[in-house]
Amino acid sequence: MLLEHINEPKDLKSLSVAQLEQLAGEIREFLIAKLSATGGHLASNLGVVELTLALHYLYDSPKDKFIFDVGHQSYVHKMLTGRMDQFDSLRQYKGLCGFIKRAESDHDVWEAGHSSTSLSAAMGMALARDLKGENNKVVAVIGDGALTGGMALEALNHIGHEKKNMLVILNDNEMSIAPNVGALHHYLGKIRTDRHYQKAKEELNQLLNKIPAIGGKLAKTAERLKDSVKYLLVSGILFEQFGLTYFGPVDGHDINQLLDVMEQANNATGPVLVHVITVKGKGYSPAEADSYKWHGINPYKIESGQVLKAVGPPMYTEVFSDALIELARNDKRIIAVTPAMPGGSGLTKFAEIFPNRMIDVGIAE
């Protein structure tokens, strides 16, 4: 067992890639076992095991700053930073917090009450680093759901303008809590399906670099040619137009590939975005089959995936849902709006009964 010897990030540094892959399996077994007793955010954390390992393997937390958007994908980070023995108390009074909490560890540098704040926080930390003359890395991990929030898009605009050295990891699992909606979600889908984009971009760069001593109009023509091919392959090139160097899409469960691309990103100047494709619930078939249900889950039986119902009165969300449906039956003016989480806000049943009166605005509530 490798996991029992991991007490802090530096314990990863001597491991081989094969050992990191073994460790990924042990981490998944640990999370599935512990959360079966406490409940918690299972699917989102199973999806970022290799990504979190790669980050801690390459970078030096807490000197290098990791900013997790929302924080429900931070359990693996907590495990690797000395809090593995606290998981029996997860989300309990005076126990291990289910999100990033600065009071818990020096490795937790940003607390998020809601989504889409990581990019502006990372931009602030990069700016502060440069003003103080320091040389640490700043890494923001943001999901494709959170990226649709207005604050995240405003931060991308600022990042592209300032051009500070920083890394943005776009953890793209095609989900936030519920399935994503909106134009940006469809744009990311185009990138996911065009696997030839990065290869063609690299081959074209190599070709241009072989042209000896080109200058003036020829150089400008070559650069325009490169841009034209980008547009041909992937409509929009949104991130590069924002001023970030784009790498991806990358298989988020292939540690070798993750390490290779992140090292390339380290050699780039200015802001870089690495587009990582992950599977929510990876490694536990019930969570892979229904990542929506298993995003935040009550205690469950590991073998069957049967969720254990809590004993007690109905949850507030259930009462709210039934009351809203009853009111809506008698008043056609009632329309429900949800912030990318119809289940969590008690509107799933409402949407089934009144499909034209429930609006999912993504994270932009």
Side-chain angles (χ1 to χ4, degrees):
M1 285 285 288
L2 294 171
L3 191 56
E4 61 191 33
H5 302 294
I6 306 299
N7 299 306
E8 53 186 332
K10 71 178 184 180
D11 295 332
L12 298 174
K13 306 296 185 182
S14 60
L15 299 182
S16 66
V17 171
Q19 287 175 312
L20 289 176
E21 290 168 348
Q22 177 187 331
L23 184 59
E26 293 178 14
I27 288 172
R28 285 193 170 91
E29 290 176 3
F30 177 94
L31 288 173
I32 292 165
K34 291 297 183 181
L35 270 63
S36 70
T38 63
H41 287 99
L42 181 65
S44 52
N45 283 285
L46 291 178
V48 297
V49 175
E50 289 86 359
L51 173 58
T52 311
L53 281 170
L55 286 171
H56 277 290
Y57 188 72
L58 278 182
Y59 297 98
D60 296 309
S61 177
K63 177 189 175 185
D64 295 327
K65 311 302 179 188
F66 295 164
I67 301 106
F68 291 91
D69 208 287
V70 185
H72 60 232
Q73 76 280 57
S74 62
Y75 291 5
V76 183
H77 165 77
K78 288 174 182 271
M79 290 175 63
L80 299 177
T81 53
R83 286 169 275 181
M84 221 175 311
D85 60 351
Q86 299 176 49
F87 268 79
D88 289 332
S89 68
L90 179 67
R91 305 201 311 173
Q92 297 172 33
Y93 179 60
K94 293 187 177 180
L96 188 67
C97 182
F99 298 92
I100 290 292
K101 193 171 184 63
R102 283 178 291 177
E104 269 186 12
S105 172
D106 290 341
H107 297 276
D108 290 9
V109 299
W110 179 253
E111 292 182 20
H114 198 27
S115 86
S116 309
T117 63
S118 62
L119 300 186
S120 52
M123 180 61 221
M125 290 183 195
L127 199 62
R129 172 201 62 202
D130 291 354
L131 287 171
K132 292 189 290 182
E134 297 173 348
N135 64 353
N136 61 286
K137 305 290 186 181
V138 177
V139 182
V141 181
I142 186 168
D144 49 316
L147 190 65
T148 65
M151 185 180 285
L153 296 173
E154 291 165 22
L156 277 179
N157 184 56
H158 189 204
I159 289 167
H161 173 70
E162 294 286 350
K163 301 196 181 305
K164 297 293 182 184
N165 289 340
M166 59 183 290
L167 174 61
V168 176
I169 302 289
L170 172 55
N171 174 31
D172 182 358
N173 55 30
E174 304 186 58
M175 294 281 287
S176 47
I177 297 173
N180 287 325
V181 298
L184 189 57
H185 165 63
H186 294 301
Y187 170 78
L188 292 175
K190 285 184 179 181
I191 299 180
R192 284 185 215 108
T193 56
D194 198 329
R195 302 291 180 178
H196 302 294
Y197 165 62
Q198 190 66 32
K199 183 180 179 183
K201 179 183 170 186
E202 289 169 359
E203 288 176 351
L204 190 60
N205 278 332
Q206 290 171 7
L207 177 63
L208 293 173
N209 288 331
K210 289 178 181 177
I211 301 173
I214 59 172
K217 291 182 179 180
L218 183 57
K220 291 178 182 178
T221 302
E223 190 62 33
R224 281 199 300 272
L225 171 63
K226 187 172 72 171
D227 286 340
S228 298
V229 173
K230 289 178 189 175
Y231 279 109
L232 179 66
L233 290 167
V234 182
S235 176
I237 312 300
L238 178 66
F239 303 112
E240 296 206 355
Q241 290 302 318
F242 265 114
L244 289 82
T245 301
Y246 173 87
F247 290 92
V250 183
D251 181 351
H253 303 297
D254 184 330
I255 292 179
N256 253 320
Q257 194 178 142
L258 282 169
L259 293 174
D260 180 56
V261 172
M262 286 184 192
E263 284 173 350
Q264 290 181 55
N266 268 341
N267 293 327
T269 57
V272 177
L273 184 139
V274 175
H275 184 182
V276 177
I277 308 296
T278 60
V279 175
K280 209 170 178 182
K282 178 75 172 176
Y284 184 53
S285 55
E288 282 194 48
D290 190 351
S291 60
Y292 180 31
K293 171 184 173 182
W294 289 82
H295 171 78
I297 198 73
N298 287 330
Y300 54 90
K301 293 182 179 179
I302 297 174
E303 295 77 13
S304 64
Q306 178 189 349
V307 180
L308 306 176
K309 291 187 177 180
V311 178
M315 298 289 287
Y316 171 83
T317 305
E318 297 174 55
V319 176
F320 164 78
S321 175
D322 292 340
L324 186 64
I325 289 168
E326 185 179 342
L327 290 169
R329 290 188 196 279
N330 299 315
D331 188 344
K332 293 183 179 179
R333 297 174 303 169
I334 291 177
I335 291 175
V337 179
T338 179
M341 47 184 296
S345 55
L347 294 174
T348 302
K349 195 191 300 185
F350 184 97
E352 292 170 358
I353 298 171
F354 308 109
N356 297 323
R357 293 163 62 185
M358 202 282 278
I359 302 168
D360 189 340
V361 294
I363 209 65
E365 68 270 36

